[in-house]
């Protein structure tokens, strides 16, 4: 059960993006995540729901999509209480983040 209030509010959009694996649903979920201000701790259940959506976003070739997904990963990782909670998702997310960072677009590499 997701206990992170910010993610709880987005569960419907995130599940939709997981079920309907088109870029359209991924973008909607990503836009909702981008509009979210993360202030509470992110729990394991929230990561299990969000990380596959972020991975799908990082696989898209759109620079804005990659940049937004990378920003969301950064914001969420800062709110994980213990790093081991994120470890199961690291093999999925890390190579995609590295690939996005190696993109020739300066905008992705220099994201603050």
């Amino acid at each position: 059960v997701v206990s992170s209030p910010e993610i709880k509010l987005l569960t419907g959009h995130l599940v939709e993006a997981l079920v309907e694996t088109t870029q359209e649903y991924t973008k909607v979920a990503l836009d909702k995540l981008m509009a979210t201000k993360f202030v509470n701790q992110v729990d394991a259940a929230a990561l299990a729901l969000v990380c596959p959506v972020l991975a799908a976003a990082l696989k898209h070739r759109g620079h804005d999509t990659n940049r937004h997904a990378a920003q969301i990963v950064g914001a969420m990782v800062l709110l994980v209480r213990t790093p081991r909670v994120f470890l199961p998702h690291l093999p999925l997310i890390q190579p995609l983040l590295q690939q996005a960072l190696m993109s020739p677009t300066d905008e992705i590499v220099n994201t603050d």
Side-chain angles (χ1 to χ4, degrees):
V1 177
V2 175
S3 65
S4 301
E6 296 90 353
I7 302 301
K8 225 183 237 191
L9 292 173
L10 302 176
T11 300
H13 295 289
L14 295 169
V15 169
E16 199 171 56
L18 291 171
V19 173
E20 301 291 337
T21 58
T22 64
Q23 187 171 358
E24 177 184 340
Y25 288 99
T26 301
K27 184 170 177 1
V28 168
L30 192 66
D31 289 344
K32 296 288 183 184
L33 286 165
M34 277 299 295
T36 301
K37 182 175 182 176
F38 292 98
V39 294
N40 295 291
Q41 289 184 353
V42 177
D43 61 339
L47 288 172
L49 190 58
V50 173
C51 283
V53 175
L54 294 175
L58 286 166
K59 289 177 186 176
H60 290 304
R61 296 195 180 242
H63 298 300
D64 285 340
T65 303
N66 285 177
R67 182 173 50 99
H68 291 158
Q71 288 174 330
I72 294 165
V73 170
M76 285 187 14
V77 167
L78 291 173
L79 295 171
V80 173
R81 180 182 287 192
T82 57
R84 73 170 191 254
V85 172
F86 189 74
L87 284 178
H89 307 286
L90 196 58
L92 174 67
I93 297 294
Q94 184 178 12
L96 295 170
L97 281 173
Q98 288 173 328
Q99 183 178 358
L101 289 171
M102 298 306 290
S103 171
T105 302
D106 290 336
E107 188 175 330
I108 292 173
V109 175
N110 295 324
T111 297
D112 290 326

